Amino acid sequence: MTRYVEKDCASIIVKSKLPDTTYVVNPYTGCEFGCSYCYASFMGRFVGETIESWGEYVFVKRNAVEVFKRDLRKLSDETRQGSMLLSSVTDAWQPVERKYRLSSGIVAELVRARYPGVVSVLTKSPIVLDDLELLRQLPRADIGVTVTTTDDNIARVLEVRSPSARRRIHTLERLNAGGISTYAFVGPLLPHFSEQKSALHDLFKSLRDAGTREIYVELINKSRYIRERLDSAYLSGDRALIQSYIDADELKQRSRLARLVNELVEQYDFRLRLGKVLDHRQDPK
Ligand code: SF4
């Protein structure tokens, strides 16, 4: 069961260290989806929670829209051009969004302000479709949906509470049909694909069939704090899954995965964001 706690925030438009992103906006701290590989679990330390309890709490920044309006007004003409990401350490369209409508309110403000920079979204949730009409009105929307596998058995191990891959791919389909520019985030690129090229092929084909032309691919991050939750999730998987996870430390596997991605990018004529598969070992943040 997820605990919901309302609180006020002092500011919400935050300068970003992410590539290609000037600002990040996170209306919630915590995420109901609680994916086992989530790198945002470190956020617990800002709200008195542990890494282990990631997925069990959501702090709702109830004044997020009002503070966003104020922060937006404070940006100078020059800094108003920057790209803005909703969200970097939460899913802005997780189920609690249906109650509070904070992300929706923030997008409405961006529309009202005719924000000239790119507004990027990254979500796993079909709830983003509630705001399809608003998103269409943004001058430069860029909507990403994370899809890591089309295999529900794997999703049951790593993404227990997230919407199914089928629903996420359908979300991409709807966004594309609505004329919105989309990308798929394949992150983490799961290690077992190195031995199961056909499964990766199926994933890429589904994304392409949904009408998505751009992908962003990132190898699995096995930082120590992430492993606090991820190790036990993988241990509940089958032997092949566990072995692939162990091998993810090997350069051989990581290079093979990058090669497979490049082959499929070419086959399906995707544009690969950043021009490469992101590997945190080589690209520390
Ligand atoms: S949906 Fe995103 S933010 Fe939420 S737990 Fe999963 S990876 Fe983390």
PDB file of all heavy atoms in Angstrom, residues 93-114:
ATOM      1  N   TRP A  93       2.639  11.256 -14.146  1.00  0.00           N
ATOM      2  CA  TRP A  93       1.266  10.804 -14.446  1.00  0.00           C
ATOM      3  C   TRP A  93       0.976   9.457 -13.772  1.00  0.00           C
ATOM      4  O   TRP A  93       0.220   8.649 -14.278  1.00  0.00           O
ATOM      5  CB  TRP A  93       1.029  10.757 -15.962  1.00  0.00           C
ATOM      6  CG  TRP A  93       0.665  12.112 -16.494  1.00  0.00           C
ATOM      7  CD1 TRP A  93      -0.590  12.613 -16.632  1.00  0.00           C
ATOM      8  CD2 TRP A  93       1.552  13.155 -16.915  1.00  0.00           C
ATOM      9  NE1 TRP A  93      -0.540  13.905 -17.107  1.00  0.00           N
ATOM     10  CE2 TRP A  93       0.760  14.264 -17.293  1.00  0.00           C
ATOM     11  CE3 TRP A  93       2.941  13.274 -16.999  1.00  0.00           C
ATOM     12  CZ2 TRP A  93       1.314  15.455 -17.770  1.00  0.00           C
ATOM     13  CZ3 TRP A  93       3.491  14.462 -17.464  1.00  0.00           C
ATOM     14  CH2 TRP A  93       2.679  15.527 -17.832  1.00  0.00           C
ATOM     15  N   GLN A  94       1.596   9.262 -12.592  1.00  0.00           N
ATOM     16  CA  GLN A  94       1.266   8.065 -11.808  1.00  0.00           C
ATOM     17  C   GLN A  94      -0.186   8.191 -11.329  1.00  0.00           C
ATOM     18  O   GLN A  94      -0.783   9.284 -11.393  1.00  0.00           O
ATOM     19  CB  GLN A  94       2.232   7.924 -10.643  1.00  0.00           C
ATOM     20  CG  GLN A  94       2.237   9.102  -9.689  1.00  0.00           C
ATOM     21  CD  GLN A  94       3.306   8.987  -8.619  1.00  0.00           C
ATOM     22  OE1 GLN A  94       3.257   8.070  -7.818  1.00  0.00           O
ATOM     23  NE2 GLN A  94       4.282   9.887  -8.628  1.00  0.00           N
ATOM     24  N   PRO A  95      -0.799   7.101 -10.831  1.00  0.00           N
ATOM     25  CA  PRO A  95      -2.241   7.137 -10.537  1.00  0.00           C
ATOM     26  C   PRO A  95      -2.701   8.296  -9.656  1.00  0.00           C
ATOM     27  O   PRO A  95      -3.787   8.850  -9.874  1.00  0.00           O
ATOM     28  CB  PRO A  95      -2.481   5.781  -9.855  1.00  0.00           C
ATOM     29  CG  PRO A  95      -1.469   4.889 -10.501  1.00  0.00           C
ATOM     30  CD  PRO A  95      -0.238   5.738 -10.709  1.00  0.00           C
ATOM     31  N   VAL A  96      -1.897   8.728  -8.681  1.00  0.00           N
ATOM     32  CA  VAL A  96      -2.335   9.810  -7.788  1.00  0.00           C
ATOM     33  C   VAL A  96      -2.566  11.123  -8.548  1.00  0.00           C
ATOM     34  O   VAL A  96      -3.292  12.005  -8.086  1.00  0.00           O
ATOM     35  CB  VAL A  96      -1.322   9.993  -6.615  1.00  0.00           C
ATOM     36  CG1 VAL A  96      -0.021  10.623  -7.097  1.00  0.00           C
ATOM     37  CG2 VAL A  96      -1.930  10.768  -5.474  1.00  0.00           C
ATOM     38  N   GLU A  97      -2.005  11.229  -9.738  1.00  0.00           N
ATOM     39  CA  GLU A  97      -2.217  12.432 -10.572  1.00  0.00           C
ATOM     40  C   GLU A  97      -3.707  12.609 -10.894  1.00  0.00           C
ATOM     41  O   GLU A  97      -4.185  13.734 -11.036  1.00  0.00           O
ATOM     42  CB  GLU A  97      -1.364  12.319 -11.844  1.00  0.00           C
ATOM     43  CG  GLU A  97      -1.664  13.306 -12.960  1.00  0.00           C
ATOM     44  CD  GLU A  97      -1.373  14.770 -12.629  1.00  0.00           C
ATOM     45  OE1 GLU A  97      -0.746  15.052 -11.605  1.00  0.00           O
ATOM     46  OE2 GLU A  97      -1.813  15.645 -13.418  1.00  0.00           O
ATOM     47  N   ARG A  98      -4.441  11.510 -10.970  1.00  0.00           N
ATOM     48  CA  ARG A  98      -5.887  11.620 -11.274  1.00  0.00           C
ATOM     49  C   ARG A  98      -6.606  12.384 -10.165  1.00  0.00           C
ATOM     50  O   ARG A  98      -7.614  13.043 -10.418  1.00  0.00           O
ATOM     51  CB  ARG A  98      -6.507  10.219 -11.409  1.00  0.00           C
ATOM     52  CG  ARG A  98      -6.244   9.592 -12.762  1.00  0.00           C
ATOM     53  CD  ARG A  98      -7.554   9.240 -13.462  1.00  0.00           C
ATOM     54  NE  ARG A  98      -7.405   9.124 -14.897  1.00  0.00           N
ATOM     55  CZ  ARG A  98      -7.326   7.979 -15.561  1.00  0.00           C
ATOM     56  NH1 ARG A  98      -7.344   6.832 -14.919  1.00  0.00           N
ATOM     57  NH2 ARG A  98      -7.224   7.990 -16.868  1.00  0.00           N
ATOM     58  N   LYS A  99      -6.089  12.310  -8.944  1.00  0.00           N
ATOM     59  CA  LYS A  99      -6.717  13.025  -7.831  1.00  0.00           C
ATOM     60  C   LYS A  99      -6.259  14.491  -7.781  1.00  0.00           C
ATOM     61  O   LYS A  99      -7.075  15.388  -7.631  1.00  0.00           O
ATOM     62  CB  LYS A  99      -6.391  12.324  -6.509  1.00  0.00           C
ATOM     63  CG  LYS A  99      -6.925  13.049  -5.312  1.00  0.00           C
ATOM     64  CD  LYS A  99      -6.748  12.259  -4.038  1.00  0.00           C
ATOM     65  CE  LYS A  99      -7.238  13.087  -2.850  1.00  0.00           C
ATOM     66  NZ  LYS A  99      -6.868  12.451  -1.578  1.00  0.00           N
ATOM     67  N   TYR A 100      -4.951  14.730  -7.919  1.00  0.00           N
ATOM     68  CA  TYR A 100      -4.438  16.081  -7.672  1.00  0.00           C
ATOM     69  C   TYR A 100      -4.284  16.938  -8.936  1.00  0.00           C
ATOM     70  O   TYR A 100      -4.250  18.162  -8.859  1.00  0.00           O
ATOM     71  CB  TYR A 100      -3.095  16.001  -6.924  1.00  0.00           C
ATOM     72  CG  TYR A 100      -3.259  15.557  -5.498  1.00  0.00           C
ATOM     73  CD1 TYR A 100      -3.143  14.210  -5.163  1.00  0.00           C
ATOM     74  CD2 TYR A 100      -3.569  16.466  -4.501  1.00  0.00           C
ATOM     75  CE1 TYR A 100      -3.318  13.782  -3.848  1.00  0.00           C
ATOM     76  CE2 TYR A 100      -3.737  16.059  -3.186  1.00  0.00           C
ATOM     77  CZ  TYR A 100      -3.614  14.714  -2.868  1.00  0.00           C
ATOM     78  OH  TYR A 100      -3.785  14.302  -1.568  1.00  0.00           O
ATOM     79  N   ARG A 101      -4.116  16.308 -10.076  1.00  0.00           N
ATOM     80  CA  ARG A 101      -3.990  17.012 -11.359  1.00  0.00           C
ATOM     81  C   ARG A 101      -2.879  18.091 -11.337  1.00  0.00           C
ATOM     82  O   ARG A 101      -3.062  19.194 -11.877  1.00  0.00           O
ATOM     83  CB  ARG A 101      -5.322  17.667 -11.769  1.00  0.00           C
ATOM     84  CG  ARG A 101      -6.522  16.763 -11.746  1.00  0.00           C
ATOM     85  CD  ARG A 101      -6.403  15.554 -12.622  1.00  0.00           C
ATOM     86  NE  ARG A 101      -6.394  15.867 -14.039  1.00  0.00           N
ATOM     87  CZ  ARG A 101      -5.819  15.095 -14.967  1.00  0.00           C
ATOM     88  NH1 ARG A 101      -5.195  13.989 -14.622  1.00  0.00           N
ATOM     89  NH2 ARG A 101      -5.861  15.432 -16.229  1.00  0.00           N
ATOM     90  N   LEU A 102      -1.783  17.783 -10.697  1.00  0.00           N
ATOM     91  CA  LEU A 102      -0.689  18.758 -10.615  1.00  0.00           C
ATOM     92  C   LEU A 102       0.072  18.859 -11.937  1.00  0.00           C
ATOM     93  O   LEU A 102       0.353  19.951 -12.430  1.00  0.00           O
ATOM     94  CB  LEU A 102       0.277  18.370  -9.487  1.00  0.00           C
ATOM     95  CG  LEU A 102      -0.317  18.315  -8.073  1.00  0.00           C
ATOM     96  CD1 LEU A 102       0.731  17.867  -7.068  1.00  0.00           C
ATOM     97  CD2 LEU A 102      -0.892  19.676  -7.679  1.00  0.00           C
ATOM     98  N   SER A 103       0.385  17.706 -12.525  1.00  0.00           N
ATOM     99  CA  SER A 103       1.126  17.725 -13.797  1.00  0.00           C
ATOM    100  C   SER A 103       0.264  18.363 -14.870  1.00  0.00           C
ATOM    101  O   SER A 103       0.754  19.149 -15.704  1.00  0.00           O
ATOM    102  CB  SER A 103       1.523  16.298 -14.188  1.00  0.00           C
ATOM    103  OG  SER A 103       2.231  15.709 -13.123  1.00  0.00           O
ATOM    104  N   SER A 104      -1.006  18.021 -14.841  1.00  0.00           N
ATOM    105  CA  SER A 104      -1.946  18.603 -15.794  1.00  0.00           C
ATOM    106  C   SER A 104      -1.981  20.130 -15.643  1.00  0.00           C
ATOM    107  O   SER A 104      -1.932  20.877 -16.638  1.00  0.00           O
ATOM    108  CB  SER A 104      -3.331  18.003 -15.520  1.00  0.00           C
ATOM    109  OG  SER A 104      -4.261  18.531 -16.386  1.00  0.00           O
ATOM    110  N   GLY A 105      -2.034  20.594 -14.386  1.00  0.00           N
ATOM    111  CA  GLY A 105      -2.069  22.037 -14.116  1.00  0.00           C
ATOM    112  C   GLY A 105      -0.801  22.722 -14.594  1.00  0.00           C
ATOM    113  O   GLY A 105      -0.842  23.849 -15.109  1.00  0.00           O
ATOM    114  N   ILE A 106       0.329  22.048 -14.442  1.00  0.00           N
ATOM    115  CA  ILE A 106       1.611  22.619 -14.874  1.00  0.00           C
ATOM    116  C   ILE A 106       1.653  22.720 -16.401  1.00  0.00           C
ATOM    117  O   ILE A 106       2.057  23.751 -16.963  1.00  0.00           O
ATOM    118  CB  ILE A 106       2.778  21.774 -14.305  1.00  0.00           C
ATOM    119  CG1 ILE A 106       2.898  22.040 -12.801  1.00  0.00           C
ATOM    120  CG2 ILE A 106       4.089  22.067 -15.028  1.00  0.00           C
ATOM    121  CD1 ILE A 106       3.808  21.095 -12.046  1.00  0.00           C
ATOM    122  N   VAL A 107       1.177  21.666 -17.077  1.00  0.00           N
ATOM    123  CA  VAL A 107       1.148  21.721 -18.551  1.00  0.00           C
ATOM    124  C   VAL A 107       0.213  22.848 -18.994  1.00  0.00           C
ATOM    125  O   VAL A 107       0.522  23.609 -19.920  1.00  0.00           O
ATOM    126  CB  VAL A 107       0.724  20.365 -19.156  1.00  0.00           C
ATOM    127  CG1 VAL A 107       0.542  20.484 -20.667  1.00  0.00           C
ATOM    128  CG2 VAL A 107       1.753  19.281 -18.844  1.00  0.00           C
ATOM    129  N   ALA A 108      -0.914  23.005 -18.302  1.00  0.00           N
ATOM    130  CA  ALA A 108      -1.861  24.083 -18.662  1.00  0.00           C
ATOM    131  C   ALA A 108      -1.178  25.453 -18.537  1.00  0.00           C
ATOM    132  O   ALA A 108      -1.384  26.341 -19.375  1.00  0.00           O
ATOM    133  CB  ALA A 108      -3.098  24.011 -17.770  1.00  0.00           C
ATOM    134  N   GLU A 109      -0.360  25.610 -17.503  1.00  0.00           N
ATOM    135  CA  GLU A 109       0.358  26.887 -17.333  1.00  0.00           C
ATOM    136  C   GLU A 109       1.352  27.107 -18.464  1.00  0.00           C
ATOM    137  O   GLU A 109       1.526  28.222 -18.954  1.00  0.00           O
ATOM    138  CB  GLU A 109       1.095  26.922 -15.981  1.00  0.00           C
ATOM    139  CG  GLU A 109       0.182  27.101 -14.800  1.00  0.00           C
ATOM    140  CD  GLU A 109      -0.754  28.304 -14.963  1.00  0.00           C
ATOM    141  OE1 GLU A 109      -0.318  29.352 -15.471  1.00  0.00           O
ATOM    142  OE2 GLU A 109      -1.939  28.162 -14.610  1.00  0.00           O
ATOM    143  N   LEU A 110       2.025  26.032 -18.866  1.00  0.00           N
ATOM    144  CA  LEU A 110       2.994  26.146 -19.968  1.00  0.00           C
ATOM    145  C   LEU A 110       2.279  26.534 -21.264  1.00  0.00           C
ATOM    146  O   LEU A 110       2.787  27.311 -22.065  1.00  0.00           O
ATOM    147  CB  LEU A 110       3.752  24.821 -20.143  1.00  0.00           C
ATOM    148  CG  LEU A 110       4.795  24.538 -19.048  1.00  0.00           C
ATOM    149  CD1 LEU A 110       5.196  23.058 -19.049  1.00  0.00           C
ATOM    150  CD2 LEU A 110       6.037  25.411 -19.264  1.00  0.00           C
ATOM    151  N   VAL A 111       1.080  25.978 -21.444  1.00  0.00           N
ATOM    152  CA  VAL A 111       0.294  26.311 -22.637  1.00  0.00           C
ATOM    153  C   VAL A 111      -0.110  27.785 -22.568  1.00  0.00           C
ATOM    154  O   VAL A 111       0.063  28.545 -23.526  1.00  0.00           O
ATOM    155  CB  VAL A 111      -0.957  25.399 -22.738  1.00  0.00           C
ATOM    156  CG1 VAL A 111      -1.925  25.916 -23.801  1.00  0.00           C
ATOM    157  CG2 VAL A 111      -0.549  23.956 -23.047  1.00  0.00           C
ATOM    158  N   ARG A 112      -0.615  28.167 -21.394  1.00  0.00           N
ATOM    159  CA  ARG A 112      -1.065  29.558 -21.219  1.00  0.00           C
ATOM    160  C   ARG A 112       0.084  30.526 -21.472  1.00  0.00           C
ATOM    161  O   ARG A 112      -0.090  31.571 -22.076  1.00  0.00           O
ATOM    162  CB  ARG A 112      -1.586  29.730 -19.785  1.00  0.00           C
ATOM    163  CG  ARG A 112      -2.589  30.838 -19.649  1.00  0.00           C
ATOM    164  CD  ARG A 112      -3.370  30.725 -18.350  1.00  0.00           C
ATOM    165  NE  ARG A 112      -4.210  29.542 -18.323  1.00  0.00           N
ATOM    166  CZ  ARG A 112      -4.394  28.746 -17.279  1.00  0.00           C
ATOM    167  NH1 ARG A 112      -3.792  28.985 -16.142  1.00  0.00           N
ATOM    168  NH2 ARG A 112      -5.179  27.693 -17.355  1.00  0.00           N
ATOM    169  N   ALA A 113       1.286  30.159 -21.001  1.00  0.00           N
ATOM    170  CA  ALA A 113       2.445  31.050 -21.137  1.00  0.00           C
ATOM    171  C   ALA A 113       3.080  30.939 -22.522  1.00  0.00           C
ATOM    172  O   ALA A 113       4.067  31.607 -22.803  1.00  0.00           O
ATOM    173  CB  ALA A 113       3.478  30.697 -20.068  1.00  0.00           C
ATOM    174  N   ARG A 114       2.545  30.055 -23.372  1.00  0.00           N
ATOM    175  CA  ARG A 114       3.148  29.768 -24.691  1.00  0.00           C
ATOM    176  C   ARG A 114       4.641  29.529 -24.540  1.00  0.00           C
ATOM    177  O   ARG A 114       5.469  30.158 -25.214  1.00  0.00           O
ATOM    178  CB  ARG A 114       2.899  30.917 -25.677  1.00  0.00           C
ATOM    179  CG  ARG A 114       1.435  31.152 -25.966  1.00  0.00           C
ATOM    180  CD  ARG A 114       1.243  32.188 -27.067  1.00  0.00           C
ATOM    181  NE  ARG A 114      -0.141  32.599 -27.166  1.00  0.00           N
ATOM    182  CZ  ARG A 114      -1.116  31.862 -27.676  1.00  0.00           C
ATOM    183  NH1 ARG A 114      -0.850  30.659 -28.150  1.00  0.00           N
ATOM    184  NH2 ARG A 114      -2.351  32.304 -27.707  1.00  0.00           N
TER     185      ARG A 114
END
